[in-house]
Amino acid sequence: MQLKQRTISFFKWLGLRRSLLLIAFGYWLFCLPKVLFEAPTSTVIESREGFLLGARIAADGQWRFPATDSVPYKFERCILLFEDEYFYKHPGVNPVAVTKALWNNLTTDSRRGGSTLTQQVIRLSRDNKARTYSEKLIEMVQATRLEFSYSKEEVLSMYASHAPFGGNVIGLETAAWRYYGLPAAELSWGQMATLAVLPNAPALVYPGKGHEVLLRKRNRLLKKLMERGEISATDYELSTQEPLPGKPLPLPQLAPHLLDRMVQEKPGQRIVTTLEYKLQVQLNNSMRLHHGNLASNEIHNAAVLVLGTDSREVLAYVGNSPTSAAHQVNVDIIRSRRSTGSILKPLLYASALQEGSLLPDMLVKDVPTSINGYSPTNFNKDFQGVISAREALSRSLNIPAVRLLESYGLERFYRKLKKAGFNSINRQPNHYGLSLILGGAEASLWEVTAAYAGLGATLIHFDQESSQYRTQEFHAPILQLNTSPDLGSVDFKAPIWTAGSIYNTFEALQEVNRPFGQELWDSFDGAQQIAWKTGTSYGFKDAWAVGVTPKYTVGVWAGNADGEGRPGLTGVQAAAPLLFEVFDQLPKSEFFAKPFDDMVQRTLCSKSGHIAGPHCEHTEQKWVADAKVLTLSCSYHQSIFLDTERKYQVNLDCYPSTAIKNENWFVLPPFVAHYYAKNHPEYKALPSYKPGCFPAEMPNMEFIFPKETSDIVLGQDFSQQPNEVVFKVAHRKSETTLYWYLNNTYVGTTDVFHEMALLPKAGNHLLTVVDANGNEISREIHIRNP
């Protein structure tokens, strides 16, 4: 009976022991939290080469960079010799060191630590709790569990990333930048030895008596490194002469606005960006100099964005000029919505080329225009009469652009802009109206530059052999390295604009007049060919310049962030100089290859740019976008019959057929010719008909002002007296006499410039003009008092 009781007691003891062991094993197995370190980290951005561009302090006020995957060799050798020489041999706890520390603490008044680096990682993860024996036991248990789950290299990386280095500096990489202004991998042996001894006593970093202790500790470690053969005697002597760090250094701020963006989008992360370090530094310096020039005219803000045309990677990001807080230095101009000015005109030009309603050099009208009450004006307040579409684009004339948008279709063009990534243009098309093409909408430099890069990339990726495109050419720029652009699938249909229409557009954009100092660019061998465009918003508030080459797309904006306009704040004066300075710092490339498979050769009239008609005297073969031509053949050249002296027009009813001379003549309607002749003295108006001949059905004269159904409000001078109204007429003959009548009452004559100043009373009137041959035109007008 007694044996039986002993046997039962023995098995109970075994069961209890087994239970305790299971409980202990369960505790050990689950003693580590899922997330070892929960403290917030700094947001850090690096260049594609790995250089620090900027960092933002963590939410808890500590400079704590996100953990790194590797530890520099020098730090590894220093920290192991100083803290844990048997790190790679123990399982997380060093029994010999623990025993020595315990015996020392029990037998003497001094305190000796026996913690391994693994134990210190646990203590750091537990917020450096008070050093009691129970806490030390927990650290030892969790240290063995940590070693079971992670490699030695990972444990060492945890220590390097979370060790304190004095003040609010946490982690080796942070300390390297704060104390030496260098990445940890570039520190010397002396610098690394200093940082290796700091976590043991972080307060020693502060200037004062602690510096002497820090110096002795560092030099002891350096001597140990020499004795172990890690460094030579010469390295030891030189390292001991290196000064200790003083006041923490400010971290680099090479792309502060991009850093702000990453704080919003990827807080607490280390982002390796696509930025090129050298280029970013160069453009910061260029911006500093350019801002000095702008500030003299009280223009305080500017921004530059550089993209790889093919890759769409952001290579440089200068979000604002180095201005003051009073002038919104913290505003990221690259993402700000600003009036687009004329920067969208090339996209409309390409749209019309693609549709076939426009040919590259086709003459378009540039005359006073009013469409549903909207009357645009050119920047120089002048009119060309007619001008080639290419020149109208390169000179950024407003009236031809508005007329083109009206004929192409506002909604059609609006849909293209949305597909091209202009998300800031987010209201209905009718909200913007035809002013959309002159800056009536807002977009960001980010969107504008990306759209121009999309145009260039469409040309680059167009497959000449299969005539195929990539469907997603107009995607957003890429900021994070090793992020491949999604170009979509392959398709025979162009994503937005065809290669031919883009190439014709880029040809026109090469002819934009460059700023001062760049005028003779094409006179030099190897000059960079750039398709570029400027833009200026109404009121001189926004200046744009965007340029494209096969390698790079550069966008520049200049102005005031608060919207204040300034005289001289134009694209060519304020933005273009910086644009070309940026291109001068970039490697040059050949211009885009001509996409022959998406272009056709057409016979065009050299003067009118239309499909050559039967009366065009000079024609030429030109490569144009492959589109169904919706325009008529040249109607400007007409066949006319002249008398023997070529002085009058004649016909068979009044002149012998054998004496008639046939000539081809460039003819413009009188209204258009009135403006064209001012800028083209070589223009010859049609000769008048010989007396007695029946004239053709073409008007000899037209009203320039007033327009049909005009409602004229009399202006007032400073004495509040009504001003006269100046009425204008264009006549086919350059010199002829016109007779003016108001309500059938003769009021005067004009000879060369047919302008008549009258002051009619309020009410309805009939204005009549008669030329010397008896031809007359009339117009009803309505006059209203102010």
Side-chain angles (χ1 to χ4, degrees), residues 369-393:
T369 300
S370 180
I371 303 173
N372 297 326
Y374 177 55
S375 300
T377 58
N378 291 324
F379 182 80
N380 61 4
K381 308 298 183 183
D382 197 7
F383 308 97
Q384 300 298 313
V386 287
I387 189 171
S388 75
R390 180 199 296 257
E391 188 177 356
L393 176 61

Short mmCIF file of all heavy atoms in Angstrom, two decimals, residues 369-393:
data_model
loop_
_atom_site.label_atom_id
_atom_site.label_comp_id
_atom_site.label_asym_id
_atom_site.label_seq_id
_atom_site.Cartn_x
_atom_site.Cartn_y
_atom_site.Cartn_z
N THR A 369 -12.23 88.60 -84.05
CA THR A 369 -13.16 87.49 -83.99
C THR A 369 -14.04 87.60 -82.77
O THR A 369 -13.57 87.95 -81.68
CB THR A 369 -12.39 86.14 -83.95
OG1 THR A 369 -11.59 86.03 -85.14
CG2 THR A 369 -13.34 84.96 -83.86
N SER A 370 -15.30 87.31 -82.96
CA SER A 370 -16.26 87.25 -81.84
C SER A 370 -17.11 86.01 -82.02
O SER A 370 -17.75 85.82 -83.05
CB SER A 370 -17.14 88.51 -81.81
OG SER A 370 -18.05 88.44 -80.73
N ILE A 371 -17.08 85.12 -81.02
CA ILE A 371 -17.83 83.87 -81.07
C ILE A 371 -18.74 83.82 -79.86
O ILE A 371 -18.28 83.69 -78.72
CB ILE A 371 -16.89 82.64 -81.09
CG1 ILE A 371 -15.93 82.74 -82.27
CG2 ILE A 371 -17.70 81.35 -81.16
CD1 ILE A 371 -14.86 81.66 -82.28
N ASN A 372 -20.04 83.96 -80.11
CA ASN A 372 -21.03 83.95 -79.02
C ASN A 372 -20.66 84.94 -77.91
O ASN A 372 -20.76 84.64 -76.72
CB ASN A 372 -21.17 82.54 -78.44
CG ASN A 372 -21.69 81.55 -79.45
OD1 ASN A 372 -22.49 81.90 -80.32
ND2 ASN A 372 -21.23 80.31 -79.37
N GLY A 373 -20.22 86.13 -78.32
CA GLY A 373 -19.90 87.17 -77.35
C GLY A 373 -18.49 87.10 -76.80
O GLY A 373 -18.07 88.01 -76.07
N TYR A 374 -17.73 86.05 -77.14
CA TYR A 374 -16.34 85.93 -76.66
C TYR A 374 -15.41 86.46 -77.75
O TYR A 374 -15.41 85.97 -78.88
CB TYR A 374 -16.01 84.47 -76.35
CG TYR A 374 -14.58 84.24 -75.91
CD1 TYR A 374 -14.05 84.95 -74.84
CD2 TYR A 374 -13.78 83.31 -76.56
CE1 TYR A 374 -12.74 84.75 -74.43
CE2 TYR A 374 -12.48 83.09 -76.15
CZ TYR A 374 -11.96 83.81 -75.09
OH TYR A 374 -10.68 83.61 -74.68
N SER A 375 -14.62 87.48 -77.40
CA SER A 375 -13.75 88.14 -78.37
C SER A 375 -12.30 88.05 -77.91
O SER A 375 -11.81 88.91 -77.16
CB SER A 375 -14.15 89.61 -78.55
OG SER A 375 -15.49 89.71 -79.00
N PRO A 376 -11.57 87.01 -78.31
CA PRO A 376 -10.18 86.88 -77.88
C PRO A 376 -9.29 87.90 -78.59
O PRO A 376 -9.64 88.44 -79.64
CB PRO A 376 -9.82 85.46 -78.33
CG PRO A 376 -10.72 85.20 -79.50
CD PRO A 376 -12.01 85.91 -79.19
N THR A 377 -8.15 88.18 -78.00
CA THR A 377 -7.16 89.07 -78.60
C THR A 377 -5.79 88.41 -78.52
O THR A 377 -5.54 87.57 -77.64
CB THR A 377 -7.09 90.42 -77.87
OG1 THR A 377 -6.79 90.20 -76.48
CG2 THR A 377 -8.42 91.16 -77.99
N ASN A 378 -4.91 88.77 -79.42
CA ASN A 378 -3.54 88.28 -79.37
C ASN A 378 -2.75 89.04 -78.33
O ASN A 378 -3.12 90.15 -77.92
CB ASN A 378 -2.87 88.42 -80.74
CG ASN A 378 -3.46 87.48 -81.77
OD1 ASN A 378 -3.83 86.35 -81.45
ND2 ASN A 378 -3.54 87.94 -83.01
N PHE A 379 -1.65 88.46 -77.90
CA PHE A 379 -0.82 89.07 -76.86
C PHE A 379 -0.34 90.46 -77.28
O PHE A 379 -0.30 91.38 -76.48
CB PHE A 379 0.37 88.15 -76.57
CG PHE A 379 1.27 88.65 -75.48
CD1 PHE A 379 0.94 88.49 -74.15
CD2 PHE A 379 2.46 89.30 -75.79
CE1 PHE A 379 1.76 88.96 -73.13
CE2 PHE A 379 3.30 89.77 -74.79
CZ PHE A 379 2.94 89.59 -73.46
N ASN A 380 0.02 90.60 -78.57
CA ASN A 380 0.53 91.88 -79.05
C ASN A 380 -0.56 92.81 -79.58
O ASN A 380 -0.27 93.86 -80.16
CB ASN A 380 1.59 91.66 -80.13
CG ASN A 380 1.03 90.92 -81.35
OD1 ASN A 380 -0.16 90.63 -81.42
ND2 ASN A 380 1.90 90.62 -82.30
N LYS A 381 -1.82 92.42 -79.44
CA LYS A 381 -2.98 93.23 -79.86
C LYS A 381 -3.01 93.47 -81.37
O LYS A 381 -3.72 94.34 -81.84
CB LYS A 381 -3.00 94.59 -79.14
CG LYS A 381 -2.87 94.50 -77.62
CD LYS A 381 -4.02 93.76 -76.99
CE LYS A 381 -3.89 93.76 -75.46
NZ LYS A 381 -4.96 92.98 -74.81
N ASP A 382 -2.25 92.69 -82.13
CA ASP A 382 -2.18 92.88 -83.58
C ASP A 382 -2.86 91.70 -84.27
O ASP A 382 -3.18 90.69 -83.65
CB ASP A 382 -0.72 92.99 -84.02
CG ASP A 382 -0.58 93.60 -85.41
OD1 ASP A 382 -1.60 94.04 -85.95
OD2 ASP A 382 0.56 93.62 -85.93
N PHE A 383 -3.05 91.84 -85.59
CA PHE A 383 -3.68 90.79 -86.39
C PHE A 383 -2.85 90.55 -87.63
O PHE A 383 -2.30 91.50 -88.22
CB PHE A 383 -5.11 91.18 -86.78
CG PHE A 383 -5.97 91.59 -85.62
CD1 PHE A 383 -6.15 92.94 -85.31
CD2 PHE A 383 -6.60 90.64 -84.84
CE1 PHE A 383 -6.93 93.32 -84.25
CE2 PHE A 383 -7.38 91.02 -83.77
CZ PHE A 383 -7.56 92.36 -83.47
N GLN A 384 -2.76 89.30 -88.05
CA GLN A 384 -1.97 88.95 -89.22
C GLN A 384 -2.81 88.77 -90.48
O GLN A 384 -2.26 88.62 -91.55
CB GLN A 384 -1.20 87.65 -88.95
CG GLN A 384 -0.24 87.73 -87.78
CD GLN A 384 0.83 88.76 -87.99
OE1 GLN A 384 1.46 88.82 -89.06
NE2 GLN A 384 1.07 89.59 -86.99
N GLY A 385 -4.10 88.75 -90.34
CA GLY A 385 -4.97 88.46 -91.48
C GLY A 385 -5.07 86.97 -91.67
O GLY A 385 -6.05 86.33 -91.28
N VAL A 386 -4.04 86.37 -92.28
CA VAL A 386 -3.89 84.92 -92.32
C VAL A 386 -2.43 84.60 -91.98
O VAL A 386 -1.53 85.41 -92.22
CB VAL A 386 -4.25 84.31 -93.70
CG1 VAL A 386 -5.74 84.34 -93.92
CG2 VAL A 386 -3.51 85.00 -94.82
N ILE A 387 -2.20 83.43 -91.45
CA ILE A 387 -0.86 83.00 -91.05
C ILE A 387 -0.85 81.48 -91.06
O ILE A 387 -1.89 80.83 -90.87
CB ILE A 387 -0.52 83.54 -89.64
CG1 ILE A 387 0.94 83.30 -89.31
CG2 ILE A 387 -1.45 82.96 -88.58
CD1 ILE A 387 1.40 84.00 -88.03
N SER A 388 0.31 80.89 -91.31
CA SER A 388 0.37 79.43 -91.32
C SER A 388 0.11 78.89 -89.92
O SER A 388 0.48 79.51 -88.92
CB SER A 388 1.74 78.95 -91.82
OG SER A 388 2.73 79.13 -90.83
N ALA A 389 -0.54 77.74 -89.86
CA ALA A 389 -0.86 77.14 -88.56
C ALA A 389 0.40 76.87 -87.76
O ALA A 389 0.42 77.05 -86.54
CB ALA A 389 -1.65 75.85 -88.78
N ARG A 390 1.47 76.47 -88.43
CA ARG A 390 2.72 76.21 -87.74
C ARG A 390 3.26 77.48 -87.07
O ARG A 390 3.64 77.47 -85.91
CB ARG A 390 3.76 75.68 -88.73
CG ARG A 390 5.12 75.38 -88.11
CD ARG A 390 6.20 75.31 -89.18
NE ARG A 390 5.95 74.21 -90.09
CZ ARG A 390 6.62 73.05 -90.06
NH1 ARG A 390 7.54 72.86 -89.15
NH2 ARG A 390 6.37 72.11 -90.94
N GLU A 391 3.23 78.59 -87.81
CA GLU A 391 3.73 79.84 -87.25
C GLU A 391 2.79 80.37 -86.17
O GLU A 391 3.24 80.94 -85.18
CB GLU A 391 3.90 80.89 -88.35
CG GLU A 391 4.61 82.15 -87.87
CD GLU A 391 4.85 83.16 -88.97
OE1 GLU A 391 4.54 82.85 -90.14
OE2 GLU A 391 5.34 84.26 -88.65
N ALA A 392 1.49 80.17 -86.37
CA ALA A 392 0.54 80.60 -85.34
C ALA A 392 0.81 79.88 -84.03
O ALA A 392 0.70 80.47 -82.95
CB ALA A 392 -0.89 80.34 -85.81
N LEU A 393 1.19 78.59 -84.12
CA LEU A 393 1.52 77.83 -82.91
C LEU A 393 2.85 78.28 -82.33
O LEU A 393 2.96 78.53 -81.12
CB LEU A 393 1.56 76.34 -83.22
CG LEU A 393 1.99 75.42 -82.07
CD1 LEU A 393 1.02 75.54 -80.90
CD2 LEU A 393 2.10 73.98 -82.53
#
